[in-house]
Amino acid sequence: MTKEESLAAISYLSDVIGWLQHFLNTRTRDPREDREVEDMLNGLVAARETIRKAHEAQHELDRLLWQHTQAAAEKRRV
């Protein structure tokens, strides 16, 4: 997954989570449906967090690779 794809997925999941929260807050209550929607919501929140953490880890790996590349280039110059 590219950085752009992960950011798009995070944004999309945030939109869906917001819609589900709004749905839970504005409709007629049925406890069985509420539980199903809450389960879906929790799954989406977990998925969003997993993608966010993966995105942050990729950013950190990119930073470390850049540092390593810079250090190797500096070593070659010396």
Side-chain angles (χ1 to χ4, degrees), residues 24 27 29-39:
L24 278 174
R27 66 180 184 77
R29 299 293 182 170
D30 177 343
R32 291 169 300 183
E33 287 180 2
D34 283 355
R35 186 73 232 147
E36 289 175 13
V37 172
E38 287 174 8
D39 288 345

Side-chain angles (χ1 to χ4, degrees), residues 2-70:
T2 67
K3 290 179 187 180
E4 292 78 18
E5 289 170 334
S6 64
L7 289 174
I10 291 167
S11 177
Y12 175 76
L13 286 172
S14 294
D15 290 346
V16 172
I17 289 165
W19 181 85
L20 284 172
Q21 287 171 330
H22 174 75
F23 178 74
L24 278 174
N25 292 330
T26 60
R27 66 180 184 77
T28 306
R29 299 293 182 170
D30 177 343
R32 291 169 300 183
E33 287 180 2
D34 283 355
R35 186 73 232 147
E36 289 175 13
V37 172
E38 287 174 8
D39 288 345
M40 285 190 296
L41 184 59
N42 290 336
L44 290 170
V45 169
R48 180 183 63 183
E49 285 305 300
T50 299
I51 293 169
R52 184 187 59 76
K53 287 177 183 177
H55 177 76
E56 289 173 356
Q58 183 63 51
H59 178 72
E60 182 64 13
L61 285 172
D62 290 347
R63 186 186 67 77
L64 291 171
L65 179 60
W66 182 83
Q67 283 181 339
H68 178 73
T69 302
Q70 294 301 312

